[in-house]
Amino acid sequence: MAEHPHVTEARARQVAEQARESGWTKPSFARELYLGRLRLDLIRHTPPGAGPGGGDTPAAEAFLARLRSYCETLDPTVIEREGRIPDTYVKGLAELGCFGIKIPEDYGGLGLSQLAYNRALMLVGSVHSSLSVLLSAHQSIGVPEPLKLAGTPEQKAEYLPRCARGAVSAFLLTEPDVGSDPARLGTRATPTDDGAAYELDGVKLWTTNGVVAELLVVLARVPRTGERPGGITAFVVEADSPGITVRQRNTFMGLRGIENGLTRFDRVRVPRANVVGGEGDGLRIALATLNTGRLSVPASCAGAAKWALGIARQWSAERVQWGRPIGEHEAVARKVSFLAATTFALESVVELTARMADEGHGDIRIEAALAKLWASERAWEIADELVQIRGGRGYETAGSLAARGERAVPTEQLLRDMRINRVFEGSTEIMHLLIAREAVDVHLTAAGELVDPSVGPRRRAVAAVRAGGFYARWLPRLVTGAGRVPTAFAEYGDLAGHLRYVERAARRLARCTFYGMARWRAAMEKRQAFLGRVVDIGAELFAMTAVCVRAETPGADEEDRGRPAHELADAFCAQARLRVEALFGALWTNTDRGDRALARQVLAGRYAWLEEGVLDPSEGTGPWIADGDGHAGTVDGGGVARRFLPPTR
């Protein structure tokens, strides 16, 4: 079992900084937004479609039609009841090409767009969320995406055709004691004496698809020596290699069919040719993979929201209380309005970011992160509100409803399945920090050394001159802009006022960020609540822009959608404005200081007496964090791995 290295806070920050993309060779709409500039020209050429199917290719439409027909034959209750996806379901998806949607045709895939891929995830996820997780873990972050980004021609030729045929893949980064701090990565890859291979030792946790995978992307630390750079490195690994044991299939509150496990590596030999990129490039490749990989989460969220809206609409019209359908009572009407407006916004964000990824004109690292963050939070609210609208039936299982002859609506399952999206591929808290780092990048570039306490007087003086020049040019532009011009954005009709608000709010947000930098200087990175609100304001402004652009997209003015699209966009923007104003107020009027002080006292045990008078059913069940060396899930020393399909090699 490899030991985790001791890592200081400074070292952890250094590793993260070295892995992130430090330059901006392409424009970014979201980056400009956080700088106080509403650059609609950066997204007008990537407008979302008017609705499902709009703007995609005939090949994509034909594939989605076949997929829909197949999904209509699947029974989601089987997955929920048995806690597994039947092999026959996976075989059918593989035959349709679902494991190679984005893999180029030259390698046996369908060669379709991110937009088509997202729509496929929405469709299969409407059968059961575990199906979309299976496909997205395989194709968004599994073997195909890293190889497309950094694989050699030989690696692509060997592995991509297998992935396209249905060789399930998984991405293995997390460890029992390593989550969002990869500097502490403990899995080691030791070069063999002849230099022809590496031996992997360590444990990986929460390996989505890891139980059934045929191919793995594994991140491990190569020791640094005089002749090699070492560092965190990515490897393609055959899952049936000697020394690999899947020790446990994890179970969760939701996603009953997910194949997620704990995998141990014991002197697993991996050929040198299986290094993706180069030694030390693993974390950078992982982060680059997530730039587009994260887009699968908002797609799944949008699909769930669409279903929730349909249930809310039908139930709120059917259920009568006090002489009227409950949807006509204001208490419920507010919820239905939120569901409709937010579902429109979710799909708008999904389509906009997908098209941006497909066209490749811009750097979408912030946009993808914002989409994941915002969509996961809103989808959770939608699921919660649907349970509330359904009342007792929302809390009751579908099977229980069916047993007494009522429609088997799996509302409580939706709540369980949606909850993980706030944790998947970067928790909400980590996404806040990641996006905040990118949003303030220009400030750190201009004035980073000025606020760095480790910088000497001479360098600080040079930094002061550089920062002064930047802010002398930048700050005056935040005073006024198009948002103050009554005729600005007139081409957006009755939505122009919302875009003028977005423009004004973006400048206001940039000023607030500058005030925070000036007030806290280097300590601002520890003001995580402040940075989280800054990020959330930008996320709402991004979503507002997406709905306005979508409502004005050519093709959206069909008689059955043009006016309704405007109505939905207007309602969403009105609701989002209230959230934005509340966040602006909380930037400076909050309980952050008191919360930090109270939390320190809680952790110190000052209020432990408050916990008295109850029993802890978890007490005595083991350590908080196990080392993964136990025998959970093993049978006679073996493992619990299995395969959906026959091996592809």
Side-chain angles (χ1 to χ4, degrees):
M1 175 70 180
E3 294 185 358
H4 295 288
H6 174 70
V7 178
T8 64
E9 182 179 357
R11 176 56 181 162
R13 187 185 302 111
Q14 181 185 26
V15 170
E17 282 296 310
Q18 289 174 346
R20 65 177 288 272
E21 296 178 62
S22 57
W24 294 87
T25 59
K26 295 180 180 180
S28 165
F29 172 82
R31 180 173 183 261
E32 291 291 312
L33 194 68
Y34 281 109
L35 286 173
R37 299 189 283 255
L38 179 58
R39 292 284 308 278
L40 291 178
D41 59 297
L42 296 179
I43 58 174
R44 274 179 174 152
H45 61 284
T46 56
D56 221 331
T57 65
E61 297 302 336
F63 162 71
L64 291 170
R66 293 193 300 273
L67 179 60
R68 184 180 188 89
S69 296
Y70 177 66
C71 286
E72 289 172 347
T73 70
L74 305 182
D75 183 358
T77 64
V78 173
I79 300 174
E80 193 68 13
R81 181 176 63 252
E82 298 181 0
R84 294 182 187 275
I85 301 171
D87 293 5
T88 54
Y89 290 14
V90 179
K91 183 175 184 291
L93 292 172
E95 290 173 349
L96 285 170
C98 291
F99 288 90
I101 297 173
K102 293 199 299 176
I103 294 176
E105 293 180 271
D106 291 346
Y107 297 105
L110 299 181
L112 299 181
S113 65
Q114 180 72 37
L115 183 62
Y117 174 65
N118 283 356
R119 288 173 177 161
L121 292 180
M122 292 167 64
L123 189 55
V124 298
S126 65
V127 176
H128 197 282
S129 297
S130 297
L131 291 174
S132 60
V133 171
L134 169 70
L135 294 180
S136 64
H138 162 75
Q139 200 163 171
S140 295
I141 58 174
V143 169
E145 194 66 27
L147 288 192
K148 285 164 60 181
L149 287 171
T152 64
E154 294 78 14
Q155 290 171 338
K156 294 176 182 178
E158 181 174 357
Y159 297 114
L160 290 183
R162 290 172 59 185
C163 290
R165 291 197 299 271
V168 178
S169 68
F171 176 77
L172 277 59
L173 169 61
T174 304
E175 298 177 0
D177 197 25
V178 178
S180 300
D181 183 9
R184 302 180 65 251
L185 197 75
T187 300
R188 294 176 64 85
T190 305
T192 57
D193 291 338
D194 60 7
Y198 298 80
E199 286 189 347
L200 270 59
D201 290 276
V203 174
K204 296 294 184 179
L205 178 62
W206 295 326
T207 59
T208 301
N209 285 359
V211 178
V212 296
E214 182 177 330
L215 294 170
L216 311 172
V217 175
V218 182
L219 266 67
R221 184 183 302 278
V222 177
R224 182 176 286 104
T225 63
E227 59 267 7
R228 62 173 67 249
I232 298 174
T233 304
F235 301 86
V236 176
V237 182
E238 298 281 355
D240 61 358
S241 299
I244 295 180
T245 306
V246 180
R247 288 185 171 269
Q248 178 180 346
R249 180 180 186 260
N250 303 320
T251 57
F252 304 96
M253 74 161 70
L255 298 179
R256 293 280 170 84
I258 190 175
E259 298 289 349
N260 179 294
L262 182 144
T263 303
R264 194 183 194 285
F265 297 83
D266 183 10
R267 301 188 65 181
V268 177
R269 183 180 176 88
V270 181
R272 183 177 181 179
N274 286 35
V275 171
V276 183
E279 281 190 11
D281 291 338
L283 193 54
R284 178 184 59 80
I285 291 170
L287 293 178
T289 297
L290 286 172
N291 281 345
T292 53
R294 285 194 175 100
L295 297 181
S296 64
V297 174
S300 297
C301 289
K306 283 172 166 286
W307 177 81
L309 177 60
I311 296 298
R313 174 181 59 80
Q314 296 170 70
W315 172 251
S316 297
E318 177 73 20
R319 176 66 162 166
V320 175
Q321 294 284 274
W322 299 298
R324 289 190 295 166
I326 61 171
E328 294 183 11
H329 293 284
E330 189 174 274
V332 175
R334 291 178 64 252
K335 300 179 186 299
V336 173
S337 172
F338 168 76
L339 262 66
T342 307
T343 298
F344 180 78
L346 280 166
E347 189 170 45
S348 299
V349 168
V350 168
E351 292 196 354
L352 175 59
T353 51
R355 291 177 186 273
M356 295 173 82
D358 286 332
E359 295 196 358
H361 297 318
D363 185 325
I364 66 164
R365 73 182 89 159
I366 301 180
E367 287 84 350
L370 282 175
K372 188 274 174 188
L373 166 69
W374 186 83
S376 62
E377 292 293 327
R378 295 290 85 78
W380 169 250
E381 290 181 283
I382 284 174
D384 185 57
E385 292 288 30
L386 180 62
V387 169
Q388 194 69 19
I389 291 171
R390 287 275 290 162
R393 289 172 173 84
Y395 194 68
E396 192 173 1
T397 66
S400 179
L401 290 166
R404 65 166 187 272
E406 291 196 9
R407 181 170 174 176
V409 182
T411 306
E412 58 84 29
Q413 179 191 329
L414 176 72
L415 195 71
R416 290 187 285 103
D417 289 349
M418 284 294 100
R419 185 59 183 84
I420 190 59
N421 290 321
R422 299 178 64 214
V423 178
F424 259 166
E425 303 195 22
S427 69
T428 290
E429 292 72 24
I430 293 301
M431 298 307 296
H432 276 150
L433 299 182
L434 185 152
I435 298 167
R437 173 60 185 88
E438 300 296 351
V440 302
D441 180 60
V442 68
H443 298 284
L444 295 179
T445 300
E449 292 187 335
L450 189 61
V451 300
D452 187 344
S454 67
V455 172
R458 180 172 298 180
R459 285 173 57 191
R460 188 169 296 183
V462 173
V465 174
R466 183 173 62 247
F470 168 76
Y471 288 117
R473 295 188 303 273
W474 180 66
L475 285 171
R477 298 173 185 173
L478 301 181
V479 176
T480 189
R484 295 292 181 186
V485 179
T487 58
F489 310 111
E491 64 272 29
Y492 287 87
D494 53 3
L495 299 178
H498 293 307
L499 285 175
R500 289 195 292 271
Y501 174 83
V502 171
E503 196 277 338
R504 295 194 304 273
R507 286 187 285 108
R508 181 182 175 189
L509 181 60
R511 293 195 299 269
C512 289
T513 305
F514 171 75
Y515 298 154
M517 286 281 294
R519 177 176 179 179
W520 294 303
R521 301 169 71 85
M524 183 163 149
E525 70 173 84
K526 298 185 183 299
R527 297 294 186 266
Q528 296 176 359
F530 174 87
L531 292 173
R533 296 180 191 109
V534 167
V535 169
D536 286 340
I537 292 170
E540 293 288 356
L541 299 181
F542 178 60
M544 289 176 68
T545 306
V547 299
C548 290
V549 171
R550 181 187 183 189
E552 279 299 317
T553 297
D557 56 354
E558 294 134 1
E559 185 176 344
D560 62 337
R561 288 203 177 136
R563 192 61 233 159
H566 266 246
E567 293 164 359
L568 289 166
D570 179 60
F572 172 77
C573 288
Q575 295 170 9
R577 282 198 195 198
L578 296 178
R579 293 191 291 268
V580 169
E581 289 303 313
L583 287 165
F584 268 125
L587 282 177
W588 310 110
T589 304
N590 52 63
T591 61
D592 294 348
R593 178 182 297 181
D595 293 341
R596 292 193 301 271
L598 181 60
R600 284 194 294 269
Q601 295 298 327
V602 170
L603 297 180
R606 180 177 177 83
Y607 312 114
W609 52 266
L610 191 58
E611 302 161 15
E612 296 172 1
V614 296
L615 299 177
D616 180 4
S618 66
E619 192 171 335
T621 59
W624 288 106
I625 300 173
D627 62 9
D629 239 0
H631 297 286
T634 63
V635 180
D636 297 330
V640 297
R642 64 188 184 89
R643 298 290 178 268
F644 283 127
L645 304 171
T648 58
R649 63 170 178 165

